[in-house]
Amino acid sequence: MMTSTRLLGAVGATLALFWFGCSEAVPPASQGAFIAEFRQPDGGKCKVASHPIKVGSATVKDLFDLRTDSVDGTTVQCTVTEASGGYTVKGLIDDGDGNQIDFTIPSISANASKAAPVKGNVGVRSPKTGDTYRSPGNDCSFWLERDNGAKGQVGSGILWVSFECPKIVNLGEASECNIDGTTFSSVIAMQNCDQ
């Protein structure tokens, strides 16, 4: 009886090692950071003062603080998938304290530059804006900044872009503002995205 108990224990241990040894590794959680330079143009219809909206810390040259999905109330969701000639990108970064961006880039490649950007849409919100301000269509510009030590990139599961929106609106407030990518740099950086 003792031998059969030992045999069953050995078989159980072997099966457990086999089971755990063959399981796939859990992919790392999505991470991201952004800064959107929200602007109130002079003489315009914007009802919110200029201010940066950000989660984490990212510039065109450095990623100081990428936030991780499901840590400290942060939500980071993103997909960067291959499409013909480039990548299709969708993302959301929300710190749980009222600062949020969501965006879609139908197609972007490594050739996207400030002189030849690609188009997409953006929605941003902060405690100062209250509601979400959104581009009316795909009229925001996205590009990979590479001058003067900048490190813009796009690839399977990763994105590091600069962007600007000539118009973002809150229809409920009849308020029209913009996101500046000229005087200041508005940046989105994400990694470990779904592919």
Side-chain angles (χ1 to χ4, degrees):
M1 190 67 163
M2 188 67 117
T3 304
S4 64
T5 303
R6 285 185 186 156
L7 180 62
L8 284 175
V11 169
T14 302
L15 287 174
L17 285 173
F18 176 76
W19 178 262
F20 288 114
C22 291
S23 65
E24 291 185 25
V26 176
S30 298
Q31 295 181 306
F34 80 91
I35 181 165
E37 296 291 349
F38 186 96
R39 291 287 170 257
Q40 181 185 53
D42 293 334
K45 301 175 183 176
C46 184
K47 297 181 179 179
V48 179
S50 297
H51 66 286
I53 303 172
K54 63 184 230 168
V55 173
S57 181
T59 70
V60 295
K61 295 182 180 181
D62 292 295
L63 302 178
F64 297 104
D65 179 17
L66 289 179
R67 300 296 175 88
T68 302
D69 184 47
S70 301
V71 175
D72 297 329
T74 300
T75 300
V76 179
Q77 299 171 343
C78 54
T79 58
V80 183
T81 55
E82 285 191 60
S84 62
Y87 297 86
T88 298
V89 184
K90 291 184 180 182
L92 166 75
I93 304 173
D94 186 326
D95 67 359
D97 292 323
N99 297 291
Q100 176 184 305
I101 191 168
D102 66 85
F103 65 98
T104 302
I105 308 171
S107 181
I108 186 171
S109 74
N111 297 324
S113 66
K114 176 73 170 169
V118 299
K119 297 297 186 176
N121 67 65
V122 168
V124 294
R125 178 172 44 89
S126 75
K128 290 184 180 179
T129 67
D131 293 329
T132 298
Y133 276 71
R134 186 167 302 284
S135 56
N138 283 339
D139 57 356
C140 295
S141 296
F142 296 85
W143 65 94
L144 280 61
E145 192 69 61
R146 292 203 177 103
D147 294 333
N148 302 316
K151 302 172 184 172
Q153 60 183 303
V154 63
S156 294
I158 59 169
L159 178 76
W160 192 352
V161 293
S162 297
F163 71 104
E164 65 185 4
C165 302
K167 181 164 65 171
I168 53 173
V169 297
N170 176 344
L171 295 176
E173 296 289 325
S175 183
E176 185 177 304
C177 312
N178 66 49
I179 295 174
D180 187 3
T182 305
T183 306
F184 299 93
S185 191
S186 296
V187 174
I188 301 169
M190 306 186 90
Q191 65 183 20
N192 305 330
C193 299
D194 293 339
Q195 300 175 34

